[in-house]
Amino acid sequence: MAQNTQKGKIMEHTGQPSQHASSRRSFLRKGLAVAGAGTISAGLLATGVPAFAEEASGGLTPGDAAILRFLSALETLETDFWQQYNELGGIQDSEVPGGSGSAKYTAALAVLDSDMAQYIHDNTEDEFTHFTFINAYLVSKGAAPVNLDQFRTLPSSKATGAQQIKRLTNLMQLTVDTSYWTKYRSRTKNPDFGDTFPPAVPGLLQGQFPAIPRSDADLSPKDHIQAIANTAGFHFAFIEQGGTSIYPSLAQRVTHPEVLRILLSIGPTETMHFQTWQDKAGNAPPLTDPTNGLVFPDLNAPPFDTQDFQTNLIMPEPTIFLSRKFPPVSIIRPTETEGAAMGALKALTDDGLFRGQSPTFFAFMHDLAQAADAARHGG
Ligand SMILES: [Fe+2]
Ligand SMILES: [Fe+2]
């Protein structure tokens, strides 16, 4: 429970209520009152940044605080669903406590790689440290941290091994966009040029699918629990390719070199995750889920046996960047900074992660994303 203690310390330090904050604004005022910050130049208010971002900025520029707060919220959400994966399919230990594992789900994940449980555990721990660090940094600058506890309203899986607590995210009705697969294999297209990409697993975009067993009834038949593990395998890479893009996208608009250093140091860990997960997703066995018809195709067989789908092409193909006048280059994509935060929020929403969440949650996240997108370098 070391992590909970750590989290508890942050809350203690800020005097922030651990649950049921009455409202965002009163929560922010409390955070600021304790931190003793709040001298904001009137000139900054003319930049179009929402007023609450000004309240929250402490010793940081309002833009830097807004970007860090949005990232803290994203990392908190990531932690929430990675914990759900770890409880059932990872390694439950003192580093990542909670849950007791589901043997059949863990075995189905291990079909993708025998180290899946270790990787799930390590990714979960990384996400916990991301939001905990960013919140601690915000507090150190007299800025308000982000706490999403009031939005923990969604149910846990009923499968044996899952903790029975309220969640921020929903892993049981996902609509996973696997176009990242062809995006990173294309040598001629880039989403920053408006290009779109076909999904590797079209079926995952055509319904709502569990990525964890919803109950022990999901543990059979064999191809059903394998389809759930395959869905998780492709979802892991979807999430982490998003993190791979959001950090460089937002880094272009931070002001203070130390805040830039934070984004440049956390962002590439998301890329390390993505690289790992993309490799493992390529090992997902082709099958059809007998309960719902979801198809996982053989990506190395016709009509998929082209460079765009080949499963061992896990390093980015060089592609167009900035302008077609330049030679192709191996890059993260997209990295367009305009509207990046709202884009990330939309992608996660479309993914189904927030199915069942309250309008207040969406409003809260919308405000954080809008404030991050209003941030300007030097502003
Ligand atoms: Fe992260
Ligand atoms: Fe991540």
Side-chain angles (χ1 to χ4, degrees):
M1 301 308 285
Q3 293 161 342
N4 288 345
T5 309
Q6 201 177 359
K7 192 172 154 193
K9 272 184 193 150
I10 291 175
M11 289 170 186
E12 213 173 281
H13 180 64
T14 59
Q16 175 191 341
S18 62
Q19 277 187 321
H20 310 301
S22 56
S23 76
R24 184 184 71 225
R25 295 185 71 89
S26 74
F27 148 69
L28 290 174
R29 277 189 212 105
K30 268 183 195 166
L32 282 177
V34 171
T39 313
I40 311 267
S41 104
L44 290 174
L45 293 169
T47 59
V49 177
F52 84 87
E54 304 289 341
E55 289 177 28
S57 63
L60 297 166
T61 68
D64 282 359
I67 284 173
L68 289 171
R69 286 171 54 76
F70 177 69
L71 289 171
S72 173
L74 281 190
E75 296 288 358
T76 304
L77 294 166
E78 271 199 288
T79 304
D80 180 81
F81 65 74
W82 273 112
Q83 274 179 336
Q84 296 183 59
Y85 281 127
N86 193 69
E87 287 172 19
L88 290 166
I91 296 171
Q92 305 83 36
D93 63 9
S94 61
E95 288 174 349
V96 187
S100 53
S102 165
K104 285 188 176 167
Y105 178 58
T106 306
L109 286 164
V111 169
L112 278 63
D113 188 292
S114 58
D115 287 326
M116 286 294 270
Q118 185 67 53
Y119 299 153
I120 289 169
H121 168 279
D122 291 357
N123 203 141
T124 308
E125 186 186 14
D126 289 359
E127 305 307 355
F128 191 95
T129 66
H130 287 168
F131 91 77
T132 303
F133 178 89
I134 295 172
N135 271 349
Y137 185 79
L138 282 162
V139 169
S140 79
K141 297 295 179 188
V146 176
N147 183 319
L148 300 181
D149 282 351
Q150 63 178 304
F151 303 117
R152 293 188 191 278
T153 57
L154 300 178
S156 290
S157 162
K158 296 289 179 288
T160 305
Q163 287 193 96
Q164 292 307 308
I165 56 175
K166 295 296 185 185
R167 313 286 183 170
L168 294 169
T169 59
N170 181 351
L171 292 177
M172 296 180 276
Q173 292 171 272
L174 293 182
T175 303
V176 184
D177 180 355
T178 52
S179 63
Y180 61 84
W181 191 269
T182 51
K183 177 179 75 180
Y184 271 102
R185 286 165 173 76
S186 170
R187 299 178 75 97
T188 56
K189 293 179 174 177
N190 182 329
D192 285 338
F193 286 64
D195 294 324
T196 56
F197 302 85
V201 185
L204 280 173
L205 266 181
Q206 293 155 13
Q208 299 180 11
F209 302 98
I212 52 174
R214 294 161 293 192
S215 71
D216 288 345
D218 272 334
L219 299 178
S220 63
K222 194 166 172 291
D223 276 357
H224 177 55
I225 187 64
Q226 189 62 55
I228 292 174
N230 285 6
T231 300
F234 278 97
H235 189 237
F236 297 163
F238 165 79
I239 288 297
E240 301 301 320
Q241 61 94 32
T244 294
S245 279
I246 193 67
Y247 278 88
S249 296
L250 293 178
Q252 295 164 62
R253 285 188 281 108
V254 305
T255 296
H256 197 284
E258 190 170 76
V259 177
L260 180 62
R261 183 178 180 183
I262 293 171
L263 269 68
L264 294 183
S265 301
I266 293 179
T269 70
E270 306 286 341
T271 309
M272 294 168 83
H273 298 159
F274 170 56
Q275 178 78 347
T276 303
W277 295 127
Q278 184 179 215
D279 187 31
K280 304 317 160 196
N283 299 331
L287 56 80
T288 300
D289 185 332
T291 70
N292 57 24
L294 173 62
V295 173
F296 288 89
D298 182 347
L299 298 172
N300 293 312
F304 295 101
D305 58 340
T306 65
Q307 177 166 276
D308 284 352
F309 290 93
Q310 193 179 314
T311 56
N312 64 357
L313 291 181
I314 61 162
M315 299 188 194
E317 295 289 1
T319 195
I320 50 172
F321 182 46
L322 298 179
S323 163
R324 289 180 200 279
K325 74 184 178 191
F326 295 123
V329 57
S330 181
I331 43 153
I332 298 306
R333 61 200 82 159
T335 52
E336 167 58 49
T337 192
E338 197 67 40
M342 287 298 284
L345 181 59
K346 181 182 186 305
L348 293 177
T349 303
D350 292 348
D351 181 51
L353 264 184
F354 308 137
R355 284 199 172 103
Q357 265 293 2
S358 64
T360 327
F361 168 82
F362 287 104
F364 184 90
M365 288 303 301
H366 179 274
D367 284 357
L368 287 181
Q370 201 170 50
D373 279 339
R376 289 291 175 272
H377 175 74

